[in-house]
Amino acid sequence: MGKTAEDIIGPDGLSDETVIAAVYVSVLGAAKAGAWRDRLERAGCNDLAGVATGSSTDEIVDTAFDGGAQPITELRLASGKPGLWSEISPQDATDRQALITRHFGRALYLRSRLVAAQNHGCWPDLQDVLPCSAADWLLTAREGDILAAGGNWPASGRVTDSWISERLALDATALPQWRDLFSPTVLRPALALLRQDDGSLLMCQSLGGRAGLSGYCSTFIDSDQGNEVTGGSAALPPAHTGDPTTPAFLIERLQTAWSDPAACRVARRFGFEQDEMSLLRGLLTGDGWVELRLGTGGQRGPELAVLGRMVVKTCAPSCPEMLRFLAYLMKQTVRDTEIATGADLPLQHKLDLPSGLRSRYLCFGAEQGRPVIFVHGIFDGVAGVQRLQHRLRARGLRLFAPLRFGYGASDRLPREADPIDLFVTQLEALMDAEGLDAPILLGHRSGCLFAAVAARRLRDRLGGVICVGATLPLSGVGHAAALRGHQRAMALSAVHASAVLPLVVRSWSRSVRQKGPQVLVSRQIARDSADRRLLADPALSAVLNQSHAMMMQQGRGGYETDLRLAVRARDMRYSANSAPTIYLHGGEDKVTPPDKLQAAIGSGANLQVRVSKRAGTMLLYSQPELVFAAIDDLRQGRT
C-alpha cells in the first residue's frame, strides 16, 4: 500500500483529502461540492491531475447546464465510489502547494459556470467572485442598495435600513461603522469584518466600485522578504463612479469557530508562524469591527504583509477566498476535535423501517466519502470509531454507525423479534436511505456476529466485511474464564441464570458510574497486555463515558438481548457465498484466542485472518492503521 497524505504529515495534521475537500466546499458550498464530486465519480474521472488542470472535465461541467442533463444543483449525492481528491500523494511541500493551487483554480472555474447559470449574467465580470452556495450573501451598490442576494437575506432594499440591519443581526454598537461603510464621503476599506453575537463573521469586501474585475487584484508587500504577492478580487479602494447600480460590495456571513487543538492542526498543515495564527484568530474571533486598508501615500497596515504570506502558504487566489477557506476549515476541525475527544457527538439521524419501527444512526468522518458501516459491540458502543474522527476524514471515509434496537434512541427490540434478522433489515434500510453503493461493513467485538450474518445475506450489496476482535459464543464457565468482574458475571448469568441477568446488568451499570468508563474495556484486557497503556488516556475515558451514556438511553434492554445472544450456540463457519471478509485479531486476545477463532470460522477463498501479535482485545483502539489498510484492500479487491 502506497503512502497516504496522512502518512506524510502525521496523524495530528490535516491530510490533502481534508484540505482539498475544504477548498471545494468553501468555494462552491457543501451541496454543490458534493454534487461535483459525485459527477466526477459517475464519469469515472479518477486522475487527480486531470481533474484539477485538464480540459477533459470541461465536458462534464458543460453537461450540467445543457437541456438534457440533470442540473448539478439537483444531483443526488452518493457516497460509494473511490475518493477523487487525493489520489496523488505529494512528496514535498512544493508538490502539495501546486496540488492545492490547481484545485482552487478548478473550484473557481466551476463557481463561475454555476453563477452564470443562476441568472446573474447582468454582471458577467463578477462571475469569478459571486457565491453560488445557499449561504447568506448580498451584492450591493456603493450606497448600500441591494442588487442581488442569496440564502435567507432580503433581495431588495438598502442595507442601512433598520429592518435590514435587524435581519443581518447587526449589533447596535456596530451600526455607526456599518453606515459609514456605505457613505459616499468615506474612503472605504478593502475588507471589513464584523464578529456577530452568534459566533458568525460578517465579511464585506470591496469590489472596486465597478464590475470589471479583469486585472483587479490585491497586492500585498512582504516587508520582511521583499516579495510581492498578488491575488484576485476585492482589495483596491472603490473607484468613483456615478452609476448607482454598479456593484460595489459583496457581503457574506461566514460560520467560524476556534480551539487551540484545532488551531495547532491548521498551523502545522500550512506552516503558519505565531504572528500569522494570532492575526487569524483576531480576524475570525475578535470582537467588534475590523477594517483592512491598503492605506495612502505608500503606507500599508502591518497586517497586510502577514496576510500576504498566509495567502501564499494556503495557495488561495485572494485574501477573501483565503479567509472563507480558513474559516470553514477551522470550524470543521474544531468540530472534529470535539467529536474525537468526547466533548460532543454527531446528531442521531432517524431511520424508519417498513415494519414501523424507528432506529437511529450516527455519521462520522467526511461529509462525502467512501462508505463504511460500523456494527457496534455490547460494551463500548461507538467509542472505538468516534475517536478516529480526524483519521476517517483524512482518508475520505464516511462512516455510518446504526444503533441496534435497544440501544441509544432506537426503539426497544420487540419481544418476539430476532435481533439478527431485525439488524439485517435495519442495514438494508440504511443503505437504501443513504443510497450507499457497496459499503464496507466493519464489525467490532460482539458486533462481528451481526456483520458475519449480513455478509451472507447481503453479499451482493456489500463491498466486503471486516471483523475486528471478533468474539465467539460463550457456552459455559470455561469460555467466560478470560472475562473478569461484572462482564464475567453477566456472561455466566446469561448461560445459567437468565432470570437474574437484568439484576446483574443493573449492577454493572452502577459499577460503570462508580468506577469510571474504563471498566467498559479494561475487564477484557489481560493484566500483562500492552493494551493497558491506553487506559491512561483521559480522552479515551471521555469518549467511553459519552458513548456509554448514549447507548443506555433505552435502558438496559439492548445489553440484555445481546448477552443472551452471545451465549447462544451458533455455527460461525465462513460461507463461500459470503462477501469477501477480513478478520483482524489480536495475538494477546485472551477472551477469544486466535487459534480458536480460526478453528471456528474455517477457511475460504475470500476469507483472511490477520493476527497482530502486539495487540489484544483493543486492536481497534491501539492499531487502527490495520483497519484502514483492510478497508483499502477490500476496496481494491485484495483479499
Side-chain angles (χ1 to χ4, degrees), residues 46-58:
N46 294 308
D47 179 68
L48 185 61
V51 170
T53 61
S55 60
S56 60
T57 52
D58 292 345

Side-chain angles (χ1 to χ4, degrees), residues 4-214:
T4 66
E6 183 188 4
D7 297 327
I8 296 170
I9 65 175
D12 292 331
L14 298 175
S15 73
D16 294 313
E17 172 81 23
T18 300
V19 172
I20 295 172
V23 166
Y24 282 90
V25 174
S26 70
V27 173
L28 301 175
K32 292 183 178 64
W36 167 241
R37 182 171 187 162
D38 181 45
R39 183 171 285 273
L40 286 175
E41 290 169 350
R42 291 175 185 273
C45 296
N46 294 308
D47 179 68
L48 185 61
V51 170
T53 61
S55 60
S56 60
T57 52
D58 292 345
E59 181 179 352
I60 301 174
V61 178
D62 290 337
T63 61
F65 308 106
D66 64 32
Q70 188 179 12
I72 194 170
T73 54
E74 298 177 8
L75 277 176
R76 181 173 178 277
L77 304 185
S79 309
K81 300 293 185 181
L84 297 170
W85 305 134
S86 56
E87 295 297 327
I88 295 175
S89 297
Q91 299 300 312
D92 55 47
T94 302
D95 289 345
R96 182 170 293 116
Q97 283 192 312
L99 182 69
I100 304 303
T101 299
R102 292 198 299 269
H103 279 289
F104 256 121
R106 172 57 60 184
L108 291 171
Y109 170 73
L110 287 168
R111 185 174 70 188
S112 69
R113 298 297 300 272
L114 288 164
V115 170
Q118 291 176 343
N119 299 319
H120 296 308
C122 50
W123 298 296
D125 292 332
L126 289 179
Q127 291 175 7
D128 290 337
V129 67
L130 287 180
C132 67
S133 68
D136 294 332
W137 62 272
L138 293 174
L139 181 67
T140 76
R142 58 176 307 178
E143 295 187 11
D145 294 301
I146 297 175
L147 305 177
N152 296 318
W153 280 355
S156 63
R158 179 169 289 191
V159 292
T160 52
D161 294 343
S162 58
W163 71 275
I164 294 183
S165 299
E166 291 177 2
R167 287 284 301 276
L168 270 58
L170 292 173
D171 186 86
T173 59
L175 287 178
Q177 295 99 321
W178 178 254
R179 296 190 180 102
D180 285 347
L181 188 64
F182 302 97
S183 172
T185 61
V186 174
L187 182 64
R188 295 173 174 85
L191 196 65
L193 303 170
L194 174 62
R195 176 78 169 177
Q196 299 192 284
D197 291 339
D198 62 358
S200 62
L201 188 70
L202 212 61
M203 183 170 74
C204 311
Q205 57 172 304
S206 168
L207 299 179
R210 54 192 172 88
L213 291 182
S214 58

Side-chain angles (χ1 to χ4, degrees), residues 408-432:
S410 292
D411 287 349
R412 295 178 184 274
L413 186 75
R415 184 176 298 275
E416 302 301 326
D418 182 283
I420 293 181
D421 291 342
L422 200 54
F423 170 73
V424 173
T425 302
Q426 181 185 16
L427 193 58
E428 288 183 291
L430 173 62
M431 289 190 287
D432 291 339

Side-chain angles (χ1 to χ4, degrees), residues 554-633:
Q554 289 285 11
R556 297 168 296 276
Y559 293 90
E560 295 172 17
T561 298
D562 280 3
L563 284 165
R564 291 188 175 95
L565 186 64
V567 301
R568 186 187 306 171
R570 185 177 295 273
D571 186 358
M572 298 292 294
R573 286 177 298 177
Y574 177 76
S575 170
N577 294 322
S578 294
T581 301
I582 297 175
Y583 278 82
L584 298 177
H585 214 72
E588 298 181 357
D589 191 333
K590 305 301 182 183
V591 178
T592 305
D595 57 338
K596 292 187 177 180
L597 175 68
Q598 183 72 73
I601 63 176
S603 60
N606 290 322
L607 172 67
Q608 289 185 13
V609 178
R610 302 178 181 180
V611 178
S612 172
K613 295 181 179 180
R614 297 180 292 111
T617 59
M618 294 188 69
L619 187 148
L620 179 60
Y621 295 82
S622 62
Q623 298 184 40
E625 65 275 6
L626 299 181
V627 178
F628 292 128
I631 292 174
D632 291 341
D633 288 346

Side-chain angles (χ1 to χ4, degrees), residues 269-548:
R269 165 69 200 208
F270 296 107
F272 287 152
E273 303 294 338
Q274 183 174 353
D275 60 337
E276 294 165 344
M277 289 305 294
S278 296
L279 176 59
L280 180 62
R281 181 169 189 167
L283 294 178
L284 296 185
T285 68
D287 295 329
W289 187 272
V290 177
E291 293 183 353
L292 301 178
R293 298 178 180 273
L294 290 180
T296 58
Q299 299 298 315
R300 299 170 186 269
E303 68 274 1
L304 294 180
V306 179
L307 286 172
R309 296 197 302 268
M310 296 175 70
V311 167
V312 172
K313 291 179 179 180
T314 58
C315 305
S318 70
C319 182
E321 295 290 349
M322 178 191 71
L323 290 176
R324 187 188 303 111
F325 165 67
L326 289 178
Y328 173 79
L329 189 60
M330 275 297 307
K331 184 175 178 61
Q332 174 182 274
T333 307
V334 167
R335 178 63 176 158
D336 286 351
T337 303
E338 290 174 344
I339 292 172
T341 58
D344 201 0
L345 268 172
L347 294 176
Q348 293 189 27
H349 300 268
K350 296 180 180 179
L351 182 65
D352 295 332
L353 271 61
S355 63
L357 290 172
R358 294 184 175 182
S359 67
R360 299 292 187 272
Y361 64 97
L362 296 89
C363 297
F364 298 94
E367 281 69 27
Q368 288 90 30
R370 295 167 293 172
V372 177
I373 301 177
F374 181 68
V375 189
H376 64 80
I378 297 177
F379 297 114
D380 58 344
V382 300
V385 291
Q386 179 179 346
R387 65 197 302 270
L388 299 177
Q389 170 66 21
H390 287 292
R391 296 192 183 190
L392 290 166
R393 184 183 296 282
R395 292 179 175 267
L397 298 176
R398 177 71 162 168
L399 187 141
F400 301 86
L403 304 179
R404 296 199 300 276
F405 289 95
Y407 291 97
S410 292
D411 287 349
R412 295 178 184 274
L413 186 75
R415 184 176 298 275
E416 302 301 326
D418 182 283
I420 293 181
D421 291 342
L422 200 54
F423 170 73
V424 173
T425 302
Q426 181 185 16
L427 193 58
E428 288 183 291
L430 173 62
M431 289 190 287
D432 291 339
E434 290 285 347
L436 303 185
D437 181 15
I440 299 295
L441 205 57
L442 176 61
H444 184 231
R445 304 300 289 164
S446 58
C448 294
L449 169 62
F450 296 85
V453 174
R456 293 193 296 272
R457 298 187 188 179
L458 303 177
R459 60 185 180 276
D460 294 331
R461 299 195 61 178
L462 298 175
V465 176
I466 301 171
C467 295
V468 182
T471 59
L472 298 175
L474 300 171
S475 57
V477 176
H479 290 87
L483 297 174
R484 301 198 313 277
H486 278 87
Q487 292 189 9
R488 184 180 186 186
M490 285 188 286
L492 293 176
S493 298
V495 175
H496 300 291
S498 182
V500 302
L501 180 60
L503 296 177
V504 180
V505 174
R506 186 179 300 117
S507 176
W508 164 77
S509 180
R510 185 166 56 250
S511 174
V512 172
R513 294 193 300 270
Q514 293 173 348
K515 297 181 179 180
Q518 293 94 333
V519 300
L520 294 167
V521 293
S522 63
R523 299 304 188 188
Q524 301 179 55
I525 304 176
R527 289 185 174 87
D528 58 347
S529 173
D531 284 352
R532 298 199 71 82
R533 72 184 187 280
L534 296 169
L535 301 178
D537 183 2
L540 176 60
S541 296
V543 173
L544 286 169
N545 187 59
Q546 184 186 67
S547 176
H548 178 66

